[in-house]
Amino acid sequence: MKKKRKMSLAQKINVLRASVMGANDGILSIAGIVLGVAGASTSNWAILVSGLAGMLAGSVSMAMGEYVSVNSQKDSERNAVATEKKALDDNYQKEFDFVEQKYVATGMAQALAHKATSEMMKKDPLITAVRERYSFDPSKFTSPYAAAIASLISFPLGSLLPLISIFVGPEKWHIVTTFTAVIIALAITGYLAAILSKADRFHSVMRNVISGVITMTVTYSVGLLIGMLA
Protein backbone atom coordinates (compact mmCIF):
# COMPACT_ATOMS: atom_id res chain seq x y z
CA MET A 1 0.00 0.00 0.00
CA LYS A 2 1.37 3.39 -1.03
CA LYS A 3 2.09 5.67 1.90
CA LYS A 4 0.28 8.99 1.72
CA ARG A 5 2.71 11.90 1.52
CA LYS A 6 2.27 14.51 4.22
CA MET A 7 1.95 18.19 3.33
CA SER A 8 5.08 20.25 3.90
CA LEU A 9 5.06 23.41 5.99
CA ALA A 10 5.18 25.53 2.82
CA GLN A 11 2.19 23.68 1.37
CA LYS A 12 0.23 24.09 4.61
CA ILE A 13 1.04 27.81 4.67
CA ASN A 14 -0.19 28.17 1.09
CA VAL A 15 -3.51 26.54 2.02
CA LEU A 16 -3.78 28.83 5.05
CA ARG A 17 -3.02 31.82 2.80
CA ALA A 18 -5.82 30.79 0.44
CA SER A 19 -8.16 30.42 3.42
CA VAL A 20 -7.33 33.83 4.89
CA MET A 21 -7.57 35.56 1.51
CA GLY A 22 -10.83 33.79 0.76
CA ALA A 23 -12.35 34.86 4.07
CA ASN A 24 -11.06 38.41 3.60
CA ASP A 25 -12.55 38.66 0.11
CA GLY A 26 -15.82 37.16 1.35
CA ILE A 27 -16.09 39.74 4.11
CA LEU A 28 -15.27 42.69 1.87
CA SER A 29 -17.19 41.63 -1.25
CA ILE A 30 -20.44 40.82 0.51
CA ALA A 31 -20.16 43.88 2.75
CA GLY A 32 -19.97 46.01 -0.39
CA ILE A 33 -22.97 44.25 -1.91
CA VAL A 34 -25.29 44.37 1.11
CA LEU A 35 -24.38 47.97 1.96
CA GLY A 36 -24.86 49.07 -1.63
CA VAL A 37 -28.28 47.45 -1.78
CA ALA A 38 -29.15 48.76 1.70
CA GLY A 39 -28.34 52.28 0.52
CA ALA A 40 -30.65 51.95 -2.47
CA SER A 41 -33.47 49.95 -0.87
CA THR A 42 -35.04 49.25 2.51
CA SER A 43 -36.16 45.81 1.40
CA ASN A 44 -34.58 43.16 3.61
CA TRP A 45 -35.46 40.55 1.01
CA ALA A 46 -33.51 42.41 -1.67
CA ILE A 47 -30.52 42.72 0.64
CA LEU A 48 -30.63 39.03 1.57
CA VAL A 49 -31.02 37.76 -2.00
CA SER A 50 -28.22 40.04 -3.26
CA GLY A 51 -25.93 38.91 -0.46
CA LEU A 52 -26.62 35.22 -1.03
CA ALA A 53 -26.14 35.58 -4.80
CA GLY A 54 -22.85 37.37 -4.20
CA MET A 55 -21.79 34.66 -1.76
CA LEU A 56 -22.46 31.89 -4.27
CA ALA A 57 -20.81 33.67 -7.20
CA GLY A 58 -17.84 34.76 -5.11
CA SER A 59 -17.26 31.29 -3.65
CA VAL A 60 -17.13 29.66 -7.08
CA SER A 61 -15.06 32.50 -8.53
CA MET A 62 -12.49 32.40 -5.71
CA ALA A 63 -12.18 28.62 -5.89
CA MET A 64 -11.71 28.63 -9.66
CA GLY A 65 -9.28 31.54 -9.40
CA GLU A 66 -7.12 29.70 -6.88
CA TYR A 67 -7.25 26.52 -8.95
CA VAL A 68 -6.14 28.29 -12.13
CA SER A 69 -3.51 30.39 -10.33
CA VAL A 70 -1.87 27.47 -8.53
CA ASN A 71 -2.01 25.31 -11.67
CA SER A 72 -0.27 28.06 -13.63
CA GLN A 73 2.44 28.22 -10.97
CA LYS A 74 2.71 24.43 -11.06
CA ASP A 75 3.10 24.44 -14.85
CA SER A 76 5.92 26.99 -14.59
CA GLU A 77 7.66 24.88 -11.94
CA ARG A 78 7.31 21.73 -14.05
CA ASN A 79 8.85 23.55 -17.03
CA ALA A 80 11.72 24.65 -14.80
CA VAL A 81 12.28 21.06 -13.64
CA ALA A 82 12.27 19.80 -17.26
CA THR A 83 14.74 22.53 -18.27
CA GLU A 84 17.06 21.73 -15.39
CA LYS A 85 16.88 17.99 -16.04
CA LYS A 86 18.03 18.60 -19.62
CA ALA A 87 20.77 20.95 -18.39
CA LEU A 88 22.07 18.23 -16.05
CA ASP A 89 22.04 15.69 -18.86
CA ASP A 90 23.82 18.04 -21.27
CA ASN A 91 26.41 19.55 -18.90
CA TYR A 92 26.39 18.18 -15.36
CA GLN A 93 29.61 19.97 -14.40
CA LYS A 94 28.22 23.38 -15.34
CA GLU A 95 25.25 22.88 -13.01
CA PHE A 96 27.54 21.53 -10.30
CA ASP A 97 29.73 24.65 -10.56
CA PHE A 98 26.67 26.90 -10.45
CA VAL A 99 25.48 25.37 -7.18
CA GLU A 100 28.97 25.47 -5.70
CA GLN A 101 29.44 29.14 -6.58
CA LYS A 102 26.09 30.01 -5.02
CA TYR A 103 27.32 28.61 -1.73
CA VAL A 104 30.64 30.44 -2.08
CA ALA A 105 28.73 33.69 -2.70
CA THR A 106 27.03 33.31 0.69
CA GLY A 107 30.46 33.43 2.38
CA MET A 108 31.08 29.69 2.61
CA ALA A 109 34.69 28.58 2.19
CA GLN A 110 35.52 27.11 -1.22
CA ALA A 111 36.45 23.70 0.15
CA LEU A 112 33.33 23.48 2.30
CA ALA A 113 31.14 24.68 -0.58
CA HIS A 114 32.63 22.00 -2.83
CA LYS A 115 32.05 19.30 -0.21
CA ALA A 116 28.44 20.40 0.43
CA THR A 117 27.69 20.55 -3.30
CA SER A 118 29.20 17.11 -3.87
CA GLU A 119 27.13 15.53 -1.10
CA MET A 120 23.85 17.13 -2.17
CA MET A 121 24.34 16.57 -5.89
CA LYS A 122 25.22 12.93 -5.19
CA LYS A 123 22.05 12.47 -3.14
CA ASP A 124 19.64 14.19 -5.58
CA PRO A 125 21.15 16.38 -8.30
CA LEU A 126 17.82 17.46 -9.80
CA ILE A 127 16.25 18.67 -6.56
CA THR A 128 19.48 20.40 -5.52
CA ALA A 129 20.01 22.14 -8.87
CA VAL A 130 16.37 23.25 -9.20
CA ARG A 131 16.28 24.53 -5.63
CA GLU A 132 19.44 26.61 -6.08
CA ARG A 133 18.72 27.87 -9.59
CA TYR A 134 14.95 28.46 -9.38
CA SER A 135 14.40 28.81 -5.61
CA PHE A 136 11.74 26.15 -5.09
CA ASP A 137 11.69 22.50 -4.04
CA PRO A 138 10.41 20.33 -6.93
CA SER A 139 9.41 17.57 -4.51
CA LYS A 140 6.85 19.82 -2.86
CA PHE A 141 4.40 21.11 -5.47
CA THR A 142 1.41 23.03 -4.11
CA SER A 143 -1.93 21.30 -4.64
CA PRO A 144 -4.39 23.40 -6.71
CA TYR A 145 -7.23 21.31 -5.30
CA ALA A 146 -6.32 22.09 -1.69
CA ALA A 147 -6.10 25.83 -2.43
CA ALA A 148 -9.41 25.77 -4.33
CA ILE A 149 -11.23 23.90 -1.57
CA ALA A 150 -9.80 26.24 1.07
CA SER A 151 -11.17 29.25 -0.83
CA LEU A 152 -14.49 27.52 -1.53
CA ILE A 153 -14.99 27.05 2.22
CA SER A 154 -13.49 30.27 3.59
CA PHE A 155 -15.22 32.74 1.21
CA PRO A 156 -18.80 31.89 2.29
CA LEU A 157 -17.70 31.73 5.94
CA GLY A 158 -16.32 35.26 5.63
CA SER A 159 -19.46 36.32 3.74
CA LEU A 160 -21.69 35.35 6.66
CA LEU A 161 -20.36 38.19 8.83
CA PRO A 162 -21.69 41.16 6.79
CA LEU A 163 -24.74 39.16 5.73
CA ILE A 164 -25.75 38.58 9.34
CA SER A 165 -24.61 41.91 10.79
CA ILE A 166 -26.76 43.89 8.34
CA PHE A 167 -29.83 42.45 10.08
CA VAL A 168 -28.61 42.62 13.70
CA GLY A 169 -30.24 45.04 16.15
CA PRO A 170 -32.55 47.99 15.43
CA GLU A 171 -32.88 48.85 11.74
CA LYS A 172 -31.48 52.35 12.21
CA TRP A 173 -28.20 50.81 13.44
CA HIS A 174 -27.82 48.21 10.68
CA ILE A 175 -25.29 50.21 8.66
CA VAL A 176 -23.19 51.11 11.71
CA THR A 177 -23.30 47.51 12.94
CA THR A 178 -22.11 46.21 9.58
CA PHE A 179 -19.34 48.79 9.26
CA THR A 180 -18.08 47.99 12.76
CA ALA A 181 -18.20 44.20 12.37
CA VAL A 182 -16.47 44.30 9.00
CA ILE A 183 -13.70 46.63 10.20
CA ILE A 184 -12.92 44.32 13.14
CA ALA A 185 -12.95 41.25 10.89
CA LEU A 186 -10.70 42.91 8.29
CA ALA A 187 -8.24 43.86 11.03
CA ILE A 188 -8.06 40.20 12.05
CA THR A 189 -7.60 38.86 8.51
CA GLY A 190 -5.04 41.57 7.77
CA TYR A 191 -3.09 40.54 10.87
CA LEU A 192 -3.21 36.85 9.93
CA ALA A 193 -2.14 37.62 6.36
CA ALA A 194 0.85 39.58 7.70
CA ILE A 195 1.89 36.63 9.88
CA LEU A 196 1.73 34.20 6.94
CA SER A 197 3.62 36.52 4.58
CA LYS A 198 6.00 37.78 7.29
CA ALA A 199 5.04 41.37 6.48
CA ASP A 200 4.68 44.39 8.76
CA ARG A 201 1.58 43.64 10.83
CA PHE A 202 0.53 47.23 11.52
CA HIS A 203 0.74 48.24 7.87
CA SER A 204 -1.06 45.10 6.76
CA VAL A 205 -3.92 45.69 9.20
CA MET A 206 -4.23 49.38 8.32
CA ARG A 207 -4.12 48.68 4.58
CA ASN A 208 -6.84 46.06 4.92
CA VAL A 209 -9.05 48.23 7.13
CA ILE A 210 -8.66 51.37 5.02
CA SER A 211 -9.44 49.51 1.78
CA GLY A 212 -12.52 48.04 3.50
CA VAL A 213 -13.74 51.41 4.75
CA ILE A 214 -13.30 52.92 1.29
CA THR A 215 -15.11 50.00 -0.38
CA MET A 216 -18.05 50.14 2.03
CA THR A 217 -18.30 53.94 1.88
CA VAL A 218 -18.28 54.02 -1.91
CA THR A 219 -20.80 51.20 -2.36
CA TYR A 220 -23.17 52.59 0.28
CA SER A 221 -22.92 56.09 -1.19
CA VAL A 222 -23.63 54.82 -4.69
CA GLY A 223 -26.58 52.85 -3.32
CA LEU A 224 -27.95 55.97 -1.62
CA LEU A 225 -27.58 57.96 -4.82
CA ILE A 226 -29.37 55.32 -6.87
CA GLY A 227 -32.10 55.13 -4.22
CA MET A 228 -32.68 58.90 -4.40
CA LEU A 229 -32.77 58.89 -8.20
CA ALA A 230 -35.09 55.88 -8.43
Side-chain angles (χ1 to χ4, degrees):
M1 184 176 177
K2 188 177 180 181
K3 187 177 180 181
K4 187 177 180 181
R5 181 181 293 180
K6 292 183 178 180
M7 291 178 68
S8 67
L9 179 59
Q11 290 169 324
K12 290 178 181 178
I13 289 175
N14 189 67
V15 172
L16 286 172
R17 175 202 59 78
S19 299
V20 171
M21 292 299 100
N24 190 79
D25 285 353
I27 294 166
L28 195 51
S29 299
I30 304 308
I33 290 173
V34 297
L35 286 171
V37 176
S41 170
T42 58
S43 170
N44 287 340
W45 177 248
I47 296 171
L48 179 62
V49 170
S50 298
L52 290 174
M55 179 192 295
L56 178 61
S59 299
V60 176
S61 176
M62 278 293 296
M64 291 300 100
E66 280 292 339
Y67 178 79
V68 171
S69 175
V70 175
N71 257 322
S72 296
Q73 176 186 331
K74 206 170 176 181
D75 289 342
S76 297
E77 291 175 349
R78 281 173 174 158
N79 287 335
V81 171
T83 300
E84 189 57 36
K85 186 176 181 180
K86 186 176 186 304
L88 286 167
D89 290 338
D90 293 344
N91 194 336
Y92 178 88
Q93 189 59 46
K94 180 181 178 181
E95 299 308 301
F96 184 99
D97 293 342
F98 176 85
V99 174
E100 181 180 346
Q101 289 308 308
K102 277 205 71 174
Y103 294 148
V104 171
T106 65
M108 189 181 294
Q110 182 73 48
L112 183 58
H114 183 80
K115 182 180 179 182
T117 303
S118 297
E119 291 178 355
M120 285 187 287
M121 292 290 278
K122 182 179 180 180
K123 182 179 180 181
D124 199 319
L126 183 59
I127 288 180
T128 301
V130 169
R131 184 180 63 241
E132 299 306 327
R133 187 174 284 279
Y134 297 101
S135 302
F136 73 90
D137 188 336
S139 66
K140 298 175 182 177
F141 286 119
T142 299
S143 169
Y145 300 103
I149 292 171
S151 293
L152 188 63
I153 295 172
S154 61
F155 187 95
L157 287 178
S159 301
L160 288 174
L161 178 71
L163 196 57
I164 292 173
S165 61
I166 195 72
F167 299 115
V168 172
E171 188 173 336
K172 65 179 180 179
W173 292 105
H174 283 175
I175 304 303
V176 174
T177 301
T178 304
F179 260 82
T180 304
V182 169
I183 287 171
I184 293 172
L186 290 177
I188 293 172
T189 55
Y191 187 81
L192 292 175
I195 292 175
L196 291 174
S197 61
K198 298 180 180 180
D200 184 278
R201 296 173 189 181
F202 176 77
H203 288 157
S204 179
V205 169
M206 291 305 298
R207 181 170 59 244
N208 216 31
V209 169
I210 291 171
S211 65
V213 170
I214 293 173
T215 299
M216 290 187 291
T217 301
V218 169
T219 53
Y220 182 63
S221 299
V222 170
L224 280 176
L225 181 60
I226 293 173
M228 288 188 290
L229 295 175

